[in-house]
């Protein structure tokens, strides 16, 4: 596995991560990450804490968010925002938080309708920030319905399960345009989760690029050499930046249904220096960082 000093996709307890924002920054610093975007799901509430920790640990923290958009499969967009974040965009994220909680309540209702005893109070108690499916999974584990988060996703709340509810009400093109209008650099996260074949993905990216998309998440720990090459070529065809991020959630593999994703760690061969320089030069604050 390769290492990078720039990690633009990480989560904290402000959404579905296991570590507080300040702890995520400290962990990033220990692993040689010099530029970190905190990109919690549909919320910016962990950013101030992360930025304060960044001053202590010499990490340039970027205000980020991972936006859930409406799509037959998952469509997640990363937005890296200027400082200060425009007030209108902050207000929009508050509405997204409400939407996210409504989705979680619907999942709980479906579980209850199937005779699975779990209460909303259990879910709310499991979350320290924005509520999401991982907190429902924790409540299922606490009630003895599942052995772990991955087990809860596989049996109850993952895609194609009876209690699954799709995320996002905003269309991807509208989310891209709104974030771009707020001064954000917007990236398409983990393109494979869209479940599109190559021609359909190319057409989808073209549509988003017209709306203001500026990057594709090419380098992660779970994207192999062939996938990285394909996504880099896709970015080049549409004049987009090549992005890098771990999608960190937890140090504990059992805490994440997708397995361990380590801060600052991506799959070989890693991001090329030219791609990294081009990416960093466009980030809010343009931090002076070079290296993998």
């Amino acid at each position: 596995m390769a290492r990078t000093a720039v990690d633009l996709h990480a989560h904290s307890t402000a959404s579905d991560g296991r570590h507080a924002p300040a702890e995520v920054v400290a962990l990033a610093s220990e692993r040689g990450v010099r530029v970190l975007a905190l990109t919690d799901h549909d919320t910016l509430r962990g950013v101030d804490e992360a930025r304060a920790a960044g001053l202590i640990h010499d990490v340039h923290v970027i205000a980020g968010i991972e936006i859930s958009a409406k799509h037959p499969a998952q469509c997640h967009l990363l937005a890296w925002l200027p400082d200060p974040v425009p007030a209108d965009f902050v207000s929009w994220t508050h509405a997204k938080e409400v939407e996210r909680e409504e989705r979680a309540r619907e999942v709980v209702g479906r579980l209850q309708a199937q005779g699975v005893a779990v209460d909303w109070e259990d879910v709310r108690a499991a979350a320290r920030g924005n509520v999401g499916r991982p907190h429902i999974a924790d409540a299922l584990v606490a009630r003895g319905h599942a052995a772990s988060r991955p087990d809860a996703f596989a049996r109850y709340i993952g895609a194609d399960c009876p209690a699954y509810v799709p995320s996002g009400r905003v269309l991807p093109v509208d989310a891209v345009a709104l974030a771009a209008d707020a001064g954000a650099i917007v990236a398409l996260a983990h393109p494979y989760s869209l479940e599109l074949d190559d021609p359909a993905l190319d057409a989808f990216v073209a549509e988003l690029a017209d709306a203001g998309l500026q990057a594709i998440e090419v380098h992660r720990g779970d994207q192999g050499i062939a996938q990285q090459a394909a996504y880099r070529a896709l970015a080049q065809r549409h004049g987009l930046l090549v992005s890098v991020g771990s999608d960190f959630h937890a140090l504990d593999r059992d805490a994440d249904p997708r397995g361990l994703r380590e801060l600052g760690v991506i799959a070989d061969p890693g991001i090329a220096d030219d791609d990294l320089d081009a990416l960093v030069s466009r980030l809010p604050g343009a931090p002076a960082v070079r290296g993998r």
Side-chain angles (χ1 to χ4, degrees):
M1 302 295 279
R3 287 196 169 271
T4 175
V6 179
D7 192 330
L8 300 181
H9 191 170
H11 298 274
S12 74
T13 50
S15 63
D16 60 346
R18 286 292 182 112
H19 306 278
E23 186 179 2
V24 173
V25 174
L27 290 169
S29 179
E30 290 172 6
R31 287 151 178 79
V33 175
R34 303 265 55 88
V35 179
L36 177 73
L38 190 70
T39 53
D40 279 306
H41 292 282
D42 298 319
T43 186
L44 294 165
R45 293 190 184 273
V47 169
D48 287 346
E49 179 184 330
R51 278 181 167 161
L55 296 176
I56 296 171
H57 296 285
D58 192 26
V59 175
H60 181 89
V61 175
I62 295 169
I65 186 171
E66 184 168 5
I67 302 169
S68 304
K70 187 176 182 179
H71 191 271
Q74 285 192 60
C75 181
H76 288 172
L77 300 160
L78 300 171
W80 308 308
L81 293 139
D83 181 18
V85 179
D88 287 350
F89 189 84
V90 173
S91 296
W92 182 76
T93 67
H94 293 165
K96 288 290 289 181
E97 291 170 3
V98 172
E99 173 189 314
R100 192 171 182 85
E101 180 165 317
E102 289 173 348
R103 178 203 184 198
R105 285 182 180 273
E106 184 175 350
V107 172
V108 170
R110 292 190 181 191
L111 287 168
Q112 292 172 340
Q114 296 160 32
V116 181
V118 60
D119 296 327
W120 175 250
E121 290 72 19
D122 297 333
V123 175
R124 183 68 264 182
R128 292 168 62 185
N130 213 3
V131 182
R133 284 186 300 160
H135 306 117
I136 300 173
D138 290 345
L140 288 168
V141 172
R143 284 293 189 105
H145 299 299
S148 63
R149 273 189 180 183
D151 183 44
F153 271 79
R155 295 170 54 200
Y156 294 106
I157 60 175
D160 300 323
C161 291
Y164 176 72
V165 177
S167 65
R169 295 177 185 171
V170 61
L171 292 174
V173 290
D174 294 336
V176 168
L178 189 145
D181 286 347
I185 302 294
V186 188
L188 176 63
H190 39 72
Y192 59 81
S193 65
L194 291 163
E195 300 178 0
L196 298 174
D197 61 21
D198 290 345
L201 179 60
D202 193 90
F204 185 71
V205 167
E207 183 181 14
L208 296 185
D210 286 343
L213 187 77
Q214 297 181 55
I216 294 177
E217 191 174 55
V218 172
H219 299 285
R220 310 163 45 94
D222 59 350
Q223 292 177 180
I225 293 174
Q227 205 168 31
Q228 291 175 59
Y231 292 158
R232 186 175 187 273
L234 178 64
Q236 289 181 321
R237 282 199 300 277
H238 295 282
L240 304 176
L241 297 166
V242 170
S243 181
V244 57
S246 63
D247 198 0
F248 174 77
H249 283 74
L251 292 175
D252 180 5
R253 183 182 295 273
D254 291 336
D256 188 342
R258 294 150 297 195
L260 183 65
R261 293 178 182 181
E262 181 59 76
L263 282 160
V265 174
I266 55 177
D268 290 329
I271 186 169
D273 286 340
D274 288 349
D275 287 340
L276 186 64
D277 288 345
L279 176 66
V280 171
S281 70
R282 296 281 296 280
L283 292 174
V289 172
R290 175 70 182 263
R292 296 178 180 175

